[in-house]
Coordinates of all heavy atoms in Angstrom, one line a residue:
R181 N -16.2 -13.3 -3.5 CA -16.3 -14.0 -4.8 C -14.9 -14.2 -5.3 O -14.0 -13.6 -4.9 CB -17.1 -13.1 -5.8 CG -18.5 -12.8 -5.3 CD -19.3 -12.1 -6.4 NE -19.5 -13.0 -7.5 CZ -19.5 -12.5 -8.8 NH1 -19.4 -11.2 -9.0 NH2 -19.7 -13.3 -9.8
R182 N -14.9 -15.1 -6.3 CA -13.7 -15.4 -7.0 C -13.5 -14.3 -8.1 O -14.4 -13.9 -8.7 CB -13.7 -16.8 -7.7 CG -13.7 -17.9 -6.7 CD -13.4 -19.2 -7.3 NE -11.9 -19.3 -7.7 CZ -11.5 -19.8 -8.8 NH1 -12.3 -20.3 -9.7 NH2 -10.2 -19.8 -9.1
V183 N -12.3 -13.9 -8.2 CA -11.9 -12.8 -9.1 C -12.2 -13.2 -10.6 O -12.4 -12.4 -11.4 CB -10.5 -12.3 -8.9 CG1 -9.5 -13.3 -9.3 CG2 -10.3 -10.9 -9.6
Y184 N -12.1 -14.5 -10.8 CA -12.3 -15.0 -12.2 C -13.8 -15.0 -12.6 O -14.1 -15.2 -13.8 CB -11.8 -16.4 -12.3 CG -10.3 -16.5 -12.0 CD1 -9.8 -17.1 -10.8 CD2 -9.3 -16.0 -12.9 CE1 -8.5 -17.1 -10.5 CE2 -8.0 -16.1 -12.6 CZ -7.6 -16.6 -11.4 OH -6.2 -16.7 -11.2
E185 N -14.7 -14.8 -11.7 CA -16.1 -14.8 -12.0 C -16.5 -13.4 -12.7 O -15.9 -12.4 -12.3 CB -17.0 -15.0 -10.8 CG -16.8 -16.4 -10.2 CD -17.5 -16.5 -8.8 OE1 -18.1 -15.5 -8.3 OE2 -17.4 -17.6 -8.2
A186 N -17.4 -13.4 -13.6 CA -17.9 -12.2 -14.2 C -18.5 -11.2 -13.2 O -19.2 -11.7 -12.3 CB -18.9 -12.5 -15.3
P187 N -18.2 -10.0 -13.3 CA -18.8 -9.0 -12.4 C -20.3 -9.0 -12.5 O -20.9 -9.3 -13.6 CB -18.2 -7.6 -12.9 CG -17.1 -8.0 -13.8 CD -17.3 -9.4 -14.3
E188 N -20.9 -8.7 -11.4 CA -22.4 -8.6 -11.3 C -22.7 -7.1 -10.9 O -22.0 -6.5 -10.1 CB -23.0 -9.6 -10.3 CG -22.8 -11.0 -10.7 CD -23.3 -12.0 -9.6 OE1 -23.8 -11.5 -8.6 OE2 -23.2 -13.2 -9.9
P189 N -23.9 -6.6 -11.3 CA -24.3 -5.3 -10.9 C -24.4 -5.2 -9.4 O -24.1 -4.1 -8.8 CB -25.6 -5.1 -11.6 CG -25.7 -6.1 -12.7 CD -24.8 -7.2 -12.3
A190 N -24.7 -6.2 -8.7 CA -24.9 -6.2 -7.2 C -23.5 -6.2 -6.5 O -23.5 -6.1 -5.3 CB -25.7 -7.4 -6.8
D191 N -22.4 -6.3 -7.2 CA -21.1 -6.4 -6.5 C -20.7 -5.1 -5.8 O -20.0 -5.2 -4.8 CB -20.0 -6.7 -7.5 CG -19.9 -8.1 -8.0 OD1 -20.6 -9.0 -7.3 OD2 -19.2 -8.4 -8.9
G192 N -21.2 -4.0 -6.2 CA -20.8 -2.7 -5.6 C -19.3 -2.5 -5.8 O -18.8 -2.7 -7.0
A193 N -18.5 -2.1 -4.8 CA -17.1 -1.9 -5.0 C -16.4 -3.3 -5.0 O -16.6 -4.2 -4.1 CB -16.5 -1.1 -3.8
R194 N -15.6 -3.5 -6.0 CA -14.9 -4.8 -6.2 C -13.4 -4.6 -5.8 O -12.7 -3.8 -6.5 CB -15.0 -5.3 -7.7 CG -16.5 -5.7 -8.0 CD -16.6 -6.0 -9.5 NE -15.6 -6.8 -10.1 CZ -15.7 -8.2 -10.1 NH1 -16.7 -8.8 -9.6 NH2 -14.7 -8.9 -10.6
V195 N -13.0 -5.3 -4.8 CA -11.6 -5.1 -4.3 C -10.9 -6.5 -4.2 O -11.4 -7.4 -3.6 CB -11.7 -4.5 -2.9 CG1 -10.3 -4.3 -2.3 CG2 -12.4 -3.2 -2.9
L196 N -9.8 -6.5 -4.9 CA -8.9 -7.7 -4.8 C -8.2 -7.7 -3.5 O -7.5 -6.7 -3.2 CB -7.9 -7.7 -6.0 CG -7.0 -8.9 -6.1 CD1 -7.7 -10.2 -6.2 CD2 -6.0 -8.7 -7.2
V197 N -8.2 -8.8 -2.8 CA -7.6 -8.8 -1.5 C -6.5 -9.9 -1.4 O -6.3 -10.5 -0.3 CB -8.6 -8.9 -0.3 CG1 -9.4 -7.7 -0.2 CG2 -9.5 -10.2 -0.5
D198 N -5.9 -10.3 -2.5 CA -4.8 -11.2 -2.6 C -3.5 -10.5 -2.6 O -3.5 -9.4 -3.2 CB -4.9 -12.1 -3.8 CG -6.0 -13.2 -3.7 OD1 -6.6 -13.4 -2.6 OD2 -6.4 -13.8 -4.7
R199 N -2.5 -11.1 -2.1 CA -1.1 -10.4 -2.1 C -0.5 -10.5 -3.5 O 0.2 -9.6 -4.0 CB -0.2 -11.1 -1.1 CG 1.0 -10.2 -0.8 CD 1.7 -10.6 0.4 NE 0.9 -10.3 1.6 CZ 0.9 -9.2 2.2 NH1 1.6 -8.1 1.7 NH2 0.2 -9.0 3.3
L200 N -0.8 -11.6 -4.2 CA -0.3 -11.8 -5.6 C -1.4 -11.6 -6.6 O -2.5 -11.9 -6.4 CB 0.3 -13.2 -5.7 CG 1.3 -13.7 -4.7 CD1 1.7 -15.1 -4.9 CD2 2.6 -12.8 -4.8
W201 N -1.0 -11.1 -7.8 CA -1.9 -10.9 -8.9 C -2.4 -12.3 -9.4 O -1.6 -13.2 -9.5 CB -1.3 -10.2 -10.0 CG -2.3 -9.9 -11.1 CD1 -2.5 -10.5 -12.2 CD2 -3.4 -8.9 -11.0 NE1 -3.6 -10.0 -12.9 CE2 -4.1 -9.0 -12.2 CE3 -3.7 -7.9 -10.1 CZ2 -5.2 -8.2 -12.4 CZ3 -4.8 -7.1 -10.3 CH2 -5.5 -7.2 -11.5
P202 N -3.7 -12.5 -9.6 CA -4.2 -13.8 -10.1 C -3.6 -14.3 -11.4 O -3.5 -13.5 -12.4 CB -5.7 -13.6 -10.2 CG -6.0 -12.3 -9.4 CD -4.7 -11.5 -9.5
R203 N -3.2 -15.5 -11.5 CA -2.6 -16.1 -12.7 C -3.6 -16.0 -13.8 O -4.8 -16.4 -13.7 CB -2.3 -17.5 -12.4 CG -1.1 -17.7 -11.5 CD -0.7 -19.2 -11.4 NE 0.3 -19.3 -10.4 CZ 0.7 -20.5 -10.0 NH1 0.2 -21.6 -10.5 NH2 1.6 -20.6 -9.1
G204 N -3.1 -15.7 -15.0 CA -3.9 -15.7 -16.2 C -5.0 -14.7 -16.3 O -5.8 -14.7 -17.3
L205 N -5.0 -13.7 -15.5 CA -6.0 -12.7 -15.5 C -5.4 -11.3 -15.9 O -4.5 -10.8 -15.3 CB -6.7 -12.5 -14.2 CG -7.9 -11.5 -14.1 CD1 -9.0 -12.0 -14.9 CD2 -8.3 -11.3 -12.6
A206 N -5.9 -10.8 -17.1 CA -5.4 -9.5 -17.5 C -5.9 -8.4 -16.6 O -7.1 -8.5 -16.2 CB -5.8 -9.3 -19.0
K207 N -5.1 -7.5 -16.3 CA -5.6 -6.4 -15.4 C -6.8 -5.6 -16.0 O -7.7 -5.2 -15.3 CB -4.4 -5.4 -15.2 CG -3.4 -6.0 -14.3 CD -2.4 -5.0 -13.8 CE -1.4 -5.8 -12.9 NZ -0.4 -5.0 -12.3
S208 N -6.8 -5.5 -17.4 CA -7.9 -4.9 -18.0 C -9.2 -5.7 -17.9 O -10.3 -5.1 -17.9 CB -7.6 -4.6 -19.5 OG -7.4 -5.9 -20.1
A209 N -9.2 -7.0 -17.7 CA -10.3 -7.8 -17.6 C -10.8 -8.0 -16.1 O -11.8 -8.7 -15.9 CB -10.0 -9.2 -18.2
A210 N -10.0 -7.5 -15.2 CA -10.3 -7.8 -13.8 C -11.5 -7.1 -13.2 O -12.1 -7.5 -12.3 CB -9.1 -7.5 -12.9
A211 N -11.9 -5.9 -13.8 CA -13.0 -5.1 -13.4 C -12.9 -4.8 -11.9 O -13.8 -5.0 -11.1 CB -14.3 -5.8 -13.7
L212 N -11.7 -4.3 -11.5 CA -11.5 -4.0 -10.1 C -11.7 -2.5 -9.8 O -11.4 -1.7 -10.7 CB -10.0 -4.3 -9.7 CG -9.6 -5.8 -9.7 CD1 -8.1 -5.9 -9.3 CD2 -10.4 -6.6 -8.9
D213 N -12.1 -2.2 -8.6 CA -12.0 -0.8 -8.1 C -10.7 -0.5 -7.4 O -10.2 0.6 -7.5 CB -13.2 -0.5 -7.2 CG -14.5 -0.6 -8.0 OD1 -14.7 0.2 -9.0 OD2 -15.4 -1.4 -7.7
E214 N -10.3 -1.5 -6.6 CA -9.0 -1.4 -5.9 C -8.4 -2.7 -5.7 O -9.0 -3.8 -5.8 CB -9.3 -0.7 -4.5 CG -9.8 0.7 -4.6 CD -9.8 1.4 -3.3 OE1 -8.9 1.2 -2.5 OE2 -10.8 2.1 -3.1
W215 N -7.1 -2.7 -5.4 CA -6.3 -3.9 -5.0 C -5.6 -3.5 -3.7 O -4.7 -2.7 -3.6 CB -5.3 -4.2 -6.1 CG -4.4 -5.4 -5.8 CD1 -4.6 -6.4 -4.9 CD2 -3.3 -5.8 -6.5 NE1 -3.7 -7.4 -5.0 CE2 -2.8 -7.0 -6.0 CE3 -2.5 -5.2 -7.6 CZ2 -1.7 -7.7 -6.5 CZ3 -1.4 -5.9 -8.0 CH2 -1.0 -7.1 -7.5
L216 N -6.1 -4.2 -2.6 CA -5.5 -3.9 -1.3 C -4.7 -5.1 -0.8 O -5.2 -6.0 -0.1 CB -6.7 -3.5 -0.3 CG -7.4 -2.3 -0.7 CD1 -8.6 -2.1 0.3 CD2 -6.5 -1.1 -0.7
K217 N -3.5 -5.2 -1.2 CA -2.6 -6.3 -0.8 C -2.3 -6.4 0.7 O -2.1 -7.5 1.2 CB -1.2 -6.1 -1.5 CG -1.2 -6.0 -3.0 CD 0.2 -5.7 -3.5 CE 0.2 -5.2 -4.9 NZ 1.5 -4.9 -5.3
G218 N -2.4 -5.2 1.3 CA -2.0 -5.2 2.8 C -3.0 -5.9 3.6 O -2.8 -6.2 4.8
A219 N -4.2 -6.2 3.1 CA -5.2 -6.9 3.9 C -5.1 -8.4 3.7 O -5.7 -9.2 4.5 CB -6.6 -6.5 3.4
A220 N -4.2 -8.9 2.8 CA -4.0 -10.3 2.6 C -3.1 -10.9 3.7 O -2.3 -10.1 4.3 CB -3.4 -10.5 1.2
P221 N -3.1 -12.2 3.9 CA -2.1 -12.8 4.8 C -0.7 -12.5 4.4 O -0.4 -12.3 3.2 CB -2.4 -14.3 4.7 CG -3.8 -14.4 4.1 CD -4.0 -13.2 3.3
S222 N 0.2 -12.4 5.3 CA 1.6 -12.2 5.0 C 2.1 -13.3 4.1 O 1.6 -14.4 4.0 CB 2.4 -12.1 6.3 OG 2.4 -13.4 6.9
E223 N 3.2 -13.0 3.4 CA 3.8 -14.0 2.5 C 4.2 -15.2 3.3 O 4.0 -16.4 2.9 CB 5.0 -13.4 1.8 CG 5.6 -14.4 0.8 CD 6.7 -13.7 0.0 OE1 6.9 -12.5 0.0 OE2 7.4 -14.5 -0.7
E224 N 4.8 -15.0 4.5 CA 5.2 -16.1 5.3 C 4.0 -17.0 5.7 O 4.0 -18.2 5.6 CB 5.8 -15.6 6.6 CG 6.3 -16.7 7.6 CD 6.9 -16.1 8.8 OE1 7.4 -15.0 8.8 OE2 6.8 -16.8 9.9
L225 N 2.9 -16.4 6.1 CA 1.7 -17.2 6.5 C 1.1 -17.9 5.3 O 0.7 -19.0 5.4 CB 0.7 -16.2 7.2 CG -0.6 -16.9 7.7 CD1 -0.4 -18.1 8.6 CD2 -1.5 -15.9 8.3
R226 N 1.0 -17.2 4.2 CA 0.5 -17.7 3.0 C 1.2 -19.0 2.5 O 0.7 -20.0 2.2 CB 0.5 -16.7 1.8 CG -0.1 -17.2 0.5 CD 0.0 -16.1 -0.5 NE 1.4 -15.6 -0.8 CZ 2.2 -16.3 -1.5 NH1 1.9 -17.4 -2.1 NH2 3.4 -15.8 -1.7
K227 N 2.6 -18.9 2.6 CA 3.4 -20.1 2.2 C 3.2 -21.2 3.2 O 3.2 -22.4 2.8 CB 4.8 -19.6 2.0 CG 5.1 -18.8 0.8 CD 6.5 -18.4 0.7 CE 6.8 -17.7 -0.6 NZ 8.2 -17.3 -0.8
W228 N 3.2 -20.9 4.5 CA 3.0 -21.9 5.5 C 1.7 -22.7 5.3 O 1.6 -23.9 5.3 CB 3.1 -21.3 6.9 CG 2.7 -22.3 7.9 CD1 3.5 -23.2 8.5 CD2 1.4 -22.5 8.5 NE1 2.8 -24.0 9.4 CE2 1.5 -23.6 9.4 CE3 0.2 -21.9 8.3 CZ2 0.4 -24.0 10.2 CZ3 -0.9 -22.3 9.0 CH2 -0.8 -23.4 10.0

């Protein structure tokens, strides 16, 4: 799902898998359980 969408009860564990923090989203509003940057594409691949 998109991190900007409101959380749903069926979401279970909500994990951000982007390397960069989403623009305009307050950390308090993100409703995340974890942020795993290491699963995201490398910076080099993302930029390419």
Side-chain angles (χ1 to χ4, degrees):
R181 298 188 63 214
R182 292 195 72 223
V183 70
Y184 299 107
E185 296 171 359
E188 295 178 356
D191 282 347
R194 293 172 47 89
V195 180
L196 180 63
V197 292
D198 287 347
R199 193 162 294 277
L200 303 175
W201 186 260
R203 289 183 188 173
L205 183 66
K207 290 189 180 186
S208 59
L212 297 179
D213 293 302
E214 294 189 40
W215 180 15
L216 297 176
K217 301 176 196 179
S222 65
E223 185 175 348
E224 179 183 332
L225 180 57
R226 181 182 57 80
K227 287 181 177 181
W228 170 83

